[in-house]
């Protein structure tokens, strides 16, 4: 894919500003994204409030998480978003083969995320850490579980986009559909970055 990727990079500056400065995707996807952001904002506020009230417990819980697993999943999500962004750029250049392969690579990253998360869950459960252990692990399992559902839905979207993009012709509604799917996946990535910071990294008072 290296020659085609170079073509994408070299051709990108020639795209007119009027073609790139627009809200990607359909309006409906942004209603969904906005609703999800509101929901997770509430969840994040709940986490921070409970953490402030039970700081020693939450610090102890954070120390029991495997930051290695969290980092691997963060790298997978960031890589998947890069592949999705590259797919959209390739679609604007009508490079159908690159688009399908990039969406496929993003899908593979998503599958890797799910595998890592199940290994991580297994590690916690084997150590006796479950949803009912304490408030930290209750929120950990609920929040990461909700995010995992989003990842699974997003993988379904990516699976569709792989097939949908093979025929090319990325104009009008087809391009908007690709952008809608890509926007949802970027949301999934963003939510994980915040979760990773809150659950695995946030320390101190």
């Amino acid at each position: 894919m290296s020659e085609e990727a170079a073509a994408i990079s070299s051709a990108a500056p020639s795209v007119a500003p009027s073609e790139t400065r627009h809200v990607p995707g359909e309006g409906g996807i942004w209603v969904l994204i906005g609703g999800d952001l509101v929901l997770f904002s509430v969840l994040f506020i709940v986490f921070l409030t409970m953490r402030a009230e039970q700081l020693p417990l939450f610090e102890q819980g954070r120390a029991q998480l495997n930051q290695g697993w969290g980092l691997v999943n963060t790298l997978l999500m960031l890589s998947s978003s890069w592949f999705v962004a590259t797919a959209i750029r390739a679609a604007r250049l009508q490079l159908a083969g690159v688009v399908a392969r990039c969406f496929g690579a993003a899908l593979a990253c998503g599958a890797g995320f799910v595998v890592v998360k199940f290994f991580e869950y297994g590690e916690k459960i084997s150590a006796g850490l479950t949803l009912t252990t304490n408030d930290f692990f209750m929120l950990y399992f609920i929040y990461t579980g909700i995010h995992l559902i989003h990842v699974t839905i997003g993988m379904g979207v990516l699976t569709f986009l792989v097939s949908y993009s093979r025929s090319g012709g990325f104009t009008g509604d087809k391009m908007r559909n690709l952008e809608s799917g890509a926007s949802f996946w970027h949301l999934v990535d963003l939510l994980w970055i915040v979760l990773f910071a809150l659950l695995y990294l946030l320390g101190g008072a």
Side-chain angles (χ1 to χ4, degrees), residues 101-130:
R101 287 197 292 275
C102 283
F103 280 134
L107 177 61
C109 289
F113 181 97
V114 173
V115 170
V116 170
K117 184 52 65 179
F118 274 104
F119 273 113
E120 185 178 6
Y121 282 163
E123 182 180 84
K124 295 294 166 288
I125 293 171
S126 296
L129 302 171
T130 67

Side-chain angles (χ1 to χ4, degrees), residues 69-85 102 105-117 144 147-155 158 181-196:
W69 287 131
L71 179 59
V72 169
N73 266 345
T74 300
L75 293 175
L76 285 170
M77 291 305 299
L78 290 173
S79 297
S80 70
S81 270
W82 182 84
F83 282 121
V84 165
C102 283
L107 177 61
C109 289
F113 181 97
V114 173
V115 170
V116 170
K117 184 52 65 179
T144 58
H147 180 263
L148 193 59
I149 293 172
H150 281 68
V151 173
T152 303
I153 294 171
M155 288 174 63
L158 290 175
S183 297
F184 179 78
W185 188 258
H186 288 315
L187 168 70
V188 175
D189 179 24
L190 173 64
L191 294 176
W192 173 254
I193 298 303
V194 179
L195 284 173
F196 177 64

